[in-house]
Amino acid sequence: MKKVTKISANSIAVNPKLRVAAYCRVSTDSDEQMVSLEAQKAHYEAYIKANVEWEFVGIYYDEGLTGTKKEKRTELLRLISDCENKKIDFIVTKSISRFARNTTDCLEIVRKLTDLGIFIYFEKENINTGTMDSELMLTILSSLAESESISISENNKWAIHKRFRSGTYKLSSPPYGYDYVDGHIAINKEQAQIVKRIFREALSGKGTQKIADSLNEDGIPAKRGKDWNASSIRGILGNERYIGNAILQKTYTDEHFNRHHNYGEREQYLIENNHEAIISKEEFRAVEEVLYQRSKEKGIKKGSSKYLNRYPLSGRIKCSECGSTFKRRIHGGINNKYIAWCCSKHIYNITACSMRFIREDAIYQAFVTMINKLIYGHKFILKPMLQSLRDVNYSDNLSQIQKLETMIEENAERSQVLMSLMAKGYLEPALFNAQKNELRKEATILREQKEVLSRSVNGGMTVITEVELLLKFTARSVQIDSFDEELFKRFVENIIVYSQEEIGFKIKCGITLKERLVI
């Protein structure tokens, strides 16, 4: 016989409250900052308890500590540990910069907590990692990481330039035909014979692709065991290092970390007789003349590509697997031809890169989709990103610039005092000269450091300008229904191909937005 039991209303389980914690931080232990911390703690305790669907877990706070590295903040680490131990469901914090000034750490923490099903609400930016698309959120935070990296990159460049000027810069990798031996460049005799062969064949009238083909047929590997191609041959024939010289800073990296050939945009440094030559200067110049004459006959100018601006996508599509540029091809039969873009390395050697071709019409459609997403969602994509960039780019660097300016002024005052003491006969000439030289060196270093930081701030301002322009366009535009070449060139730096089904548009403001390819 069936048994029926009545369940009263109050015995039905209710949804548990969301366990919410707050995280606060101040960067110094001054009295003023401590007041700020107490205000934050009081605000978030009241804020969390005011929500009837939330359960107040507690407040985690670090005081008198920098936010640069998460390893230095014990309370943040304790917060993460409690999340891993299922004690917290949701986190509230003031802003991205308060949560983690090092946005690489911020990305890592967001990913870790998202995987645990725990989300963060950044009050200032009005960003909730649980309600936004996670990839979009990480894209915004990644743009902040790039702005931070600009400062680190500029400091590295400053150190490299000092070694350029002193002639002490060590080549990152010696060219084919040379090895590093005891810290110095020495000729690799076996490879040097190949270099001489390449120059001989170029003088005999062989083209660069034919030279490459002959080396591959003879089973001679290029650098790192790769196959030869026309580009690698041209690189050898035009490399001044084979006559013993070295030109430094042939390439440079811009504020978006894109590498460019240096055609006069940056200063260069020539070191003559830097190492032992493999090719004579006369033979090198003769080959240079042959290459110049051949390029002149074909209408190709040095420092440019014949087809660089022929199509909207020319030179702008990069392979994520091997880094090569994609080339335009015509695919299909007589009645169903279509335009495709193929990885140049895959074209020459399928085994060297497995990346398949992508259709041009699919790229165009993906661009339309990406722009329309930005137009539709500019308020919660670009606006918080712009505000975050403005917060990140200035405070630390401008403060450091101000300190350097003060130090430069103090250096000038000490120099003036030194001059006065010398004029009054209180200092011996030898002591005066020694101290004067020390002050000059110190002033030079301070000015160079200030210049690096100023460039870093200017680079950040460039990113902000690009975001502002993109935000202005998307806020005033309607959805587009077809590919716009001018729009593409204005906002897109390049396209990264991840697979035959997915590409990423690297926007000039620094973010990369992924899109699916659909035909």
Side-chain angles (χ1 to χ4, degrees):
M1 181 177 180
K2 294 182 180 180
K3 182 180 180 181
V4 179
T5 303
K6 180 180 178 181
I7 302 175
S8 59
N10 60 6
S11 67
I12 298 176
V14 296
N15 291 327
K17 290 185 176 183
L18 203 66
R19 296 169 298 175
V20 182
Y23 177 76
C24 310
R25 179 181 66 83
V26 293
S27 55
T28 69
D29 55 4
S30 66
D31 291 340
E32 182 178 320
Q33 289 293 326
M34 289 302 103
V35 170
S36 172
L37 177 60
E38 291 303 318
Q40 288 184 59
K41 289 161 64 178
H43 163 71
Y44 284 118
E45 183 172 355
Y47 177 76
I48 294 171
K49 288 182 176 179
N51 193 321
V52 295
E53 297 180 354
W54 290 358
E55 177 186 345
F56 177 69
V57 175
I59 295 177
Y60 299 73
Y61 58 92
D62 287 306
E63 53 187 83
L65 293 170
T66 176
T68 305
K69 293 290 184 182
K70 68 177 187 299
E71 290 81 5
K72 296 181 180 180
R73 292 190 281 157
T74 56
E75 283 293 284
L76 177 62
L77 295 176
R78 187 169 72 87
L79 172 66
I80 296 170
S81 176
D82 286 350
C83 289
E84 291 173 337
N85 292 325
K86 310 296 184 183
K87 296 180 180 179
I88 298 169
D89 302 315
F90 191 70
I91 299 169
V92 179
T93 189
K94 182 177 180 181
S95 67
I96 293 172
S97 61
R98 290 288 92 190
F99 189 67
R101 291 293 294 276
N102 181 326
T103 46
T104 301
D105 286 345
C106 190
L107 280 168
E108 180 187 329
I109 296 168
V110 168
R111 288 195 181 105
K112 179 182 288 186
L113 296 180
T114 300
D115 290 340
L116 294 171
I118 300 168
F119 306 108
I120 308 170
Y121 175 65
F122 298 100
E123 189 177 27
K124 182 179 179 181
E125 293 85 2
N126 192 27
I127 293 175
N128 185 333
T129 61
T131 57
M132 290 182 61
D133 179 81
S134 60
E135 183 178 315
L136 178 60
M137 176 61 192
L138 294 179
T139 297
I140 293 171
L141 294 177
S142 294
S143 68
L144 306 182
E146 181 169 7
S147 296
E148 179 184 279
S149 297
I150 290 173
S151 177
I152 298 171
S153 174
E154 290 296 336
N155 282 286
N156 289 337
K157 288 177 186 176
W158 173 72
I160 290 171
H161 287 166
K162 287 208 43 112
R163 295 201 295 275
F164 281 167
R165 288 192 289 271
S166 65
T168 58
Y169 180 76
K170 182 179 178 181
L171 301 179
S172 57
S173 177
Y176 182 88
Y178 290 99
D179 292 318
Y180 268 128
V181 178
D182 297 328
H184 299 283
I185 297 177
I187 291 178
N188 180 314
K189 293 182 179 180
E190 184 178 345
Q191 292 181 358
Q193 293 304 315
I194 306 303
V195 172
K196 291 177 180 178
R197 169 180 167 175
I198 291 170
F199 275 84
R200 283 197 308 270
E201 293 187 0
L203 282 174
S204 70
K206 268 192 177 183
T208 53
Q209 187 58 56
K210 288 187 177 180
I211 296 174
D213 292 340
S214 68
L215 292 172
N216 290 331
E217 289 171 4
D218 290 344
I220 299 171
K223 198 168 186 179
R224 299 185 183 92
K226 297 181 179 180
D227 288 337
W228 296 94
N229 55 49
S231 296
S232 58
I233 298 298
R234 280 195 298 271
I236 285 180
L237 295 175
N239 195 336
E240 82 291 337
R241 288 169 187 170
Y242 291 112
I243 60 174
N245 295 342
I247 296 177
L248 305 179
Q249 197 160 245
K250 292 181 180 178
T251 62
Y252 67 93
T253 305
D254 64 18
E255 64 272 11
H256 300 303
F257 304 100
N258 297 315
R259 186 162 290 279
H260 304 276
H261 287 286
N262 186 1
Y263 296 122
E265 296 88 351
R266 301 285 191 276
E267 59 189 3
Q268 293 183 325
Y269 304 86
L270 170 63
I271 303 177
E272 297 185 83
N273 302 318
N274 184 65
H275 50 272
E276 188 178 353
I278 294 176
I279 302 298
S280 69
K281 293 180 180 179
E282 293 74 21
E283 188 176 1
F284 185 84
R285 292 194 185 98
V287 169
E288 198 173 41
E289 183 61 33
V290 168
L291 295 176
Y292 171 76
Q293 186 61 34
R294 187 173 292 135
S295 63
K296 187 177 179 181
E297 291 170 359
K298 293 182 178 181
I300 303 173
K301 294 181 180 179
K302 186 177 181 180
S304 66
S305 173
K306 185 178 179 181
Y307 300 104
L308 185 59
N309 299 313
R310 189 174 179 183
Y311 306 105
L313 303 180
S314 295
R316 291 176 178 264
I317 308 178
K318 306 293 182 182
C319 177
S320 65
E321 182 177 332
C322 69
S324 300
T325 303
F326 274 50
K327 291 186 176 181
R328 189 176 185 270
R329 290 288 187 269
I330 304 296
H331 283 196
I334 297 175
N335 298 322
N336 63 338
K337 289 184 178 180
Y338 60 90
I339 299 169
W341 289 83
C342 312
C343 173
S344 55
K345 180 172 285 189
H346 180 84
I347 292 172
Y348 290 115
N349 185 354
I350 294 177
T351 61
C353 179
S354 63
M355 188 64 69
R356 301 285 303 279
F357 70 88
I358 54 175
R359 292 180 56 143
E360 184 175 82
D361 48 2
I363 300 172
Y364 286 170
Q365 186 56 50
F367 174 76
V368 171
T369 302
M370 183 270 295
I371 288 293
N372 286 337
K373 284 182 179 178
L374 287 176
I375 292 172
Y376 176 77
H378 65 274
K379 290 183 179 179
F380 62 87
I381 299 175
L382 298 176
K383 279 190 175 181
M385 175 181 173
L386 179 60
Q387 186 58 52
S388 299
L389 284 170
R390 283 172 174 163
D391 291 341
V392 169
N393 280 334
Y394 293 103
S395 57
D396 292 342
N397 282 355
L398 289 177
S399 175
Q400 186 63 25
I401 288 171
Q402 193 172 20
K403 289 179 182 177
L404 288 170
E405 287 175 344
T406 301
M407 294 170 71
I408 291 170
E409 290 175 3
E410 292 173 352
N411 178 280
E413 290 173 0
R414 294 202 307 272
S415 181
Q416 191 62 40
V417 170
L418 195 67
M419 294 286 289
S420 177
L421 292 173
M422 178 62 185
K424 293 178 181 179
Y426 295 148
L427 288 179
E428 292 292 331
L431 180 60
F432 168 79
N433 289 330
Q435 293 187 1
K436 184 66 176 176
N437 289 336
E438 285 299 318
L439 286 172
R440 282 176 178 169
K441 289 178 183 179
E442 180 185 294
T444 299
I445 292 172
L446 291 172
R447 282 193 293 269
E448 288 177 340
Q449 289 177 341
K450 179 188 171 184
E451 182 183 349
V452 167
L453 289 171
S454 297
R455 284 201 304 268
S456 175
V457 170
N458 290 336
M461 291 176 66
T462 300
V463 174
I464 289 176
T465 300
E466 290 293 340
V467 177
E468 288 174 339
L469 290 172
L470 184 57
L471 179 58
K472 184 178 180 180
F473 164 77
T474 54
R476 297 181 179 180
S477 298
V478 296
Q479 303 275 302
I480 64 173
D481 54 13
S482 61
F483 178 78
D484 187 322
E485 181 178 342
E486 292 302 318
L487 191 62
F488 175 79
K489 290 181 177 179
R490 175 63 192 87
F491 292 115
V492 177
E493 184 76 30
N494 55 50
I495 297 171
I496 303 169
V497 180
Y498 299 105
S499 69
Q500 208 171 19
E501 294 80 32
E502 186 179 47
I503 62 174
F505 293 95
K506 184 169 185 181
I507 312 301
K508 289 183 179 179
C509 64
I511 62 174
T512 300
L513 301 175
K514 293 183 179 181
E515 287 295 337
R516 303 292 294 178
L517 294 177
V518 180
I519 290 297

